[in-house]
């Protein structure tokens, strides 16, 4: 008798009927990582362009939130790990083909950089602040002198961090909803938009606020364009991708995505920003909160829905 | 020079009424349903109670009508309509320059008094709307638009009793 033995990973728990292994930790991290990337990107951009003195919220105040966002994000990533004591092994290797390796190393570089960057503005924020050691003071003056150079490193790392939050999902080729190369740029643009929203919210300078509002409006336009093309791509693809898109086009995520993410989290704040630019009085917190909420919900829905999509066999 | 404060310029009430009627017509045409407001609040209450004590909802004659295993009570078109009303009202308020934190009340009373009476009135209206199976928009407006006798009666009773009681309570708000 000829015996055939089939082995399949689908027999493992939480794999069939659909993947059920990523919970709130991952989308929360993707949101915080994107937000941090957005704030750092604009801080670096305006420092490089020599306009730091015109954009205090962009270059200084908002960057104080970045270390907190990254630390919280890293804590939630850590909580998601099954074998927590082995997390350090990510740093024993560099693998260019692995998004997790990219992410681990980028975070390793960008987190300390964000601490150093905001610490260098600490004395401007708290004038009575004094560094305890002499070497810290000389390090501070070195950082202040080299801010434009550090900005170049920061802007590159911010873009990698922002794109990687999308690539982390899109490199997962067994989940059709995630396996779209447009996800990297989409997550980057969404992260930049949430970053711009925070800056806009914190800014007390009308000119700076208006500029960030205009930038955010442009990002909203790009985001909508990418979302439409994401779905056009799915619908022009195979039955697997069409089935994945179906979750958003009549399926269980239709209302959540189109009403709460696209309408309330992208289009309505966009309308409010257009009105503000045209001179109507809008409390800036409202569009900012809507954008942040839309960005957070977008990641929760993408992670949740992506796990449900699969190859049809 | 005459200055006009945009925030004090309201639409003509008769024109507003006609526009509201047309909106109702458009709503029926698009969604196949009429307008409503208290239904959204009711569904939010049912969903909240169901979240805290599902057993209570199941055994309560009133709540149990609105709950089933496969449909979330918040997945109701009235809930989405009210979210849209909030967003639309915010944009409309911004366009008319009326977005600020304030409690409108008669100068003779304190804002706290106004809020307490508003909450008490709202509660009575909520209870009444459930006896009447709908509020001003759901029962009176939509009901009378389809010539339902109950809708027309509700409309007459809401505005009739409102007219009678306004004499005693109008000092609270204008």
């Amino acid at each position: 008798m000829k015996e055939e033995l089939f082995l399949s990973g689908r027999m493992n728990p939480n794999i069939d009927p659909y993947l059920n292994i990523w919970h709130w930790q991952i989308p929360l991290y993707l949101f915080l990582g994107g937000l941090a990337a957005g704030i750092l990107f604009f801080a670096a951009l305006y420092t490089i362009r020599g306009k730091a003195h015109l954009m205090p919220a962009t270059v200084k105040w908002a960057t104080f939130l970045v270390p907190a966002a990254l630390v919280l994000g890293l804590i939630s990533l850590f909580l998601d790990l099954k074998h927590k004591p082995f997390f350090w092994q990510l740093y024993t290797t560099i693998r260019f083909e692995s998004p997790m390796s990219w992410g681990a190393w980028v975070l390793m570089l960008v987190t300390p950089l964000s601490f150093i960057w905001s610490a260098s503005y600490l004395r401007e924020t708290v004038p009575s602040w004094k560094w305890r050691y002499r070497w810290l003071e000389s390090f501070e003056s070195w950082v202040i002198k080299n801010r434009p150079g550090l900005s170049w490193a920061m802007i590159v790392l911010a873009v990698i961090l922002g794109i990687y939050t999308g690539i982390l999902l899109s490199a997962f080729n067994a989940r059709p909803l995630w396996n779209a190369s447009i996800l990297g740029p989409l997550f980057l643009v969404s992260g930049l938009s949430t970053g711009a929203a925070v800056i806009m919210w914190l800014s007390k300078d009308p000119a700076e606020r208006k500029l960030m509002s205009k930038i955010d409006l442009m990002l909203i336009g790009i985001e909508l364009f990418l979302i439409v093309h994401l779905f056009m791509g799915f619908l022009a693809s195979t039955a697997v991708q069409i089935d994945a898109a179906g979750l958003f086009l009549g399926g269980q995520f239709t209302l959540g995505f189109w009403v709460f993410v696209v309408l309330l989290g992208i289009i309505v704040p966009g309308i409010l920003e257009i009105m503000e630019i045209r001179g109507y009085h809008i409390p800036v917190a409202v569009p900012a909160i809507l954008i942040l909420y839309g960005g957070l919900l977008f990641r929760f829905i993408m992670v949740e829905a992506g796990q449900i999509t699969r190859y049809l066999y | 020079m005459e200055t006009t404060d945009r925030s004090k310029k309201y639409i003509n009430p008769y024109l507003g009424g006609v526009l509201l009627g047309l909106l109702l017509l458009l709503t029926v045409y698009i969604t196949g349903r009429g307008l409503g407001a208290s239904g959204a609040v009711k569904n939010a209450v049912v969903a909240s109670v169901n979240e805290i004590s599902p057993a209570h909802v199941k055994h309560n004659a009133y709540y149990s009508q609105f709950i089933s295993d496969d449909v979330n009570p918040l997945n109701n078109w009235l809930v989405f309509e009210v979210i849209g009303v909030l967003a639309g009202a915010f944009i409309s308020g911004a366009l008319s320059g009326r977005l600020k934190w304030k409690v409108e009340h008669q100068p003779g009373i304190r804002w706290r008094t106004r809020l307490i009476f508003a909450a008490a009135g709202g509660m009575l209206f909520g209870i009444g709307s459930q006896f009447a199976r709908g509020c001003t928009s759901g029962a009176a407006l939509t009901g009378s638009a389809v010539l339902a006798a109950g809708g027309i009666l509700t409309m007459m009773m809401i505005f009739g009793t409102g007219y009678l009681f306004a004499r005693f309570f109008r000092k609270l708000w204008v």
Side-chain angles (χ1 to χ4, degrees):
Chain A
M1 192 182 86
K2 192 178 161 201
E3 192 180 9
E4 276 188 272
L5 205 59
F6 287 98
L7 279 179
S8 164
R10 292 177 69 173
M11 289 162 180
N12 291 331
N14 301 323
I15 301 291
D16 225 13
Y18 62 86
L19 196 66
N20 183 22
I21 52 169
W22 283 0
H23 307 292
W24 60 269
Q25 298 92 336
I26 299 297
L28 178 66
Y29 161 69
L30 296 180
F31 170 74
L32 292 169
L35 177 68
I39 294 172
L40 291 180
F41 177 86
F42 290 115
L45 181 70
Y46 285 101
T47 307
I48 291 170
R49 295 186 61 196
K51 293 190 174 166
H53 58 291
L54 296 173
M55 313 282 288
T58 314
V59 174
K60 298 175 205 170
W61 319 135
T63 60
F64 282 102
L65 293 172
V66 175
L70 286 174
V71 167
L72 282 177
L74 286 169
I75 290 173
S76 60
L77 270 188
F78 182 73
L79 288 177
D80 174 70
L81 291 177
K82 184 88 180 162
H83 299 290
K84 293 181 176 62
F86 300 129
F87 83 93
W88 57 270
Q89 292 189 350
L90 276 164
Y91 295 107
T92 57
T93 174
I94 295 180
R95 288 176 54 181
F96 289 107
E97 75 280 18
S98 158
M100 275 184 80
S101 188
W102 273 94
W105 282 104
V106 164
L107 285 166
M108 178 63 114
L109 295 171
V110 89
T111 310
L113 189 56
S114 76
F115 272 93
I116 291 169
W117 185 273
S118 46
S120 79
Y121 279 111
L122 204 54
R123 269 215 273 208
E124 280 188 41
T125 320
V126 191
S128 60
W129 182 268
K130 278 206 168 54
W131 294 109
R132 193 172 279 215
Y133 302 104
R134 186 100 187 91
W135 66 271
L136 277 175
E137 280 193 16
S138 42
F139 184 56
E140 185 201 38
S141 35
W142 180 85
V143 171
I144 291 171
K145 210 170 70 190
N146 290 290
R147 271 184 193 140
L150 286 171
S151 295
W152 280 106
M154 203 157 83
I155 203 165
V156 172
L157 290 171
V159 170
I160 296 175
L161 177 65
I163 287 197
Y164 137 81
T165 59
I167 301 287
L168 190 67
L169 298 180
S170 74
F172 205 114
N173 55 15
R175 301 296 129 188
L177 184 75
W178 293 342
N179 194 211
S181 51
I182 218 165
L183 229 52
L186 177 56
F187 273 63
L188 172 67
V189 172
S190 166
L192 291 176
S193 174
T194 53
V198 166
I199 295 169
M200 203 167 78
W201 193 3
L202 290 178
S203 176
K204 289 194 174 67
D205 176 44
E208 182 184 26
R209 196 188 284 176
K210 203 166 178 179
L211 177 62
M212 288 323 278
S213 207
K214 280 183 185 165
I215 290 173
D216 195 45
L217 210 51
M218 191 182 71
L219 293 168
I220 282 175
I222 299 172
E223 205 177 339
L224 287 172
F225 175 85
L226 292 175
I227 287 173
V228 169
H229 281 256
L230 176 73
F231 283 97
M232 279 168 63
F234 285 140
L235 294 178
S237 200
T238 71
V240 176
Q241 279 82 13
I242 294 171
D243 201 61
L247 282 176
F248 293 80
L249 304 170
Q252 68 188 93
F253 293 99
T254 311
L255 272 180
F257 185 75
W258 297 105
V259 174
F260 290 100
V261 175
V262 176
L263 188 65
L264 285 177
I266 300 177
I267 294 176
V268 170
I271 292 172
L272 295 177
E273 282 174 0
I274 293 174
M275 287 172 64
E276 199 191 11
I277 290 167
R278 297 212 164 174
Y280 291 102
H281 172 71
I282 308 275
V284 71
V286 178
I289 290 172
L290 285 175
I291 286 169
L292 290 171
Y293 140 88
L296 182 65
L297 192 65
F298 171 61
R299 284 155 181 85
F300 266 87
I301 288 183
M302 286 307 284
V303 170
E304 177 80 13
Q307 293 186 89
I308 292 174
T309 65
R310 46 171 227 169
Y311 279 81
L312 308 167
Y313 53 86
Chain B
M1 200 180 84
E2 196 188 348
T3 52
T4 46
D5 183 0
R6 208 153 37 96
S7 71
K8 292 283 185 289
K9 240 180 106 188
Y10 290 96
I11 195 172
N12 178 309
Y14 298 105
L15 177 62
V18 172
L19 290 177
L20 183 58
L22 290 175
L23 173 74
L24 178 61
L25 191 66
L26 193 68
T27 311
V28 174
Y29 179 74
I30 295 173
T31 66
R33 299 273 315 259
L35 293 167
S38 51
V41 179
K42 176 189 74 190
N43 282 299
V45 170
V46 173
S48 314
V49 178
N50 191 43
E51 201 60 45
I52 295 163
S53 172
H56 178 67
V57 168
K58 216 171 175 182
H59 296 115
N60 183 296
Y62 174 73
Y63 289 141
S64 58
Q65 307 169 65
F66 310 109
I67 209 98
S68 71
D69 288 337
D70 48 343
V71 181
N72 186 323
L74 286 180
N75 192 359
N76 179 293
W77 103 269
L78 288 176
V79 175
F80 292 92
E81 179 220 69
V82 167
I83 293 171
V85 167
L86 287 175
F90 188 85
I91 291 173
S92 158
L95 283 172
S96 321
R98 263 181 234 135
L99 282 188
K100 45 179 100 83
W101 289 104
K102 62 174 175 188
V103 179
E104 287 187 332
H105 61 87
Q106 207 256 350
I109 60 159
R110 295 207 301 179
W111 65 269
R112 250 188 242 107
T113 319
R114 163 80 173 122
L115 285 188
I116 290 166
F117 275 92
M123 279 182 212
L124 287 174
F125 200 81
I127 295 168
S129 73
Q130 292 315 293
F131 281 130
R133 298 188 156 197
C135 57
T136 325
S137 34
L141 195 64
T142 309
S144 55
V146 294
L147 297 179
I152 295 168
L153 194 63
T154 309
M155 178 82 90
M156 288 163 71
M157 294 309 280
I158 288 176
F159 286 96
T161 44
Y163 190 76
L164 283 178
F165 279 87
R167 188 184 169 75
F168 307 106
F169 292 99
R170 62 188 286 272
K171 283 271 152 59
L172 287 169
W173 48 287
V174 280

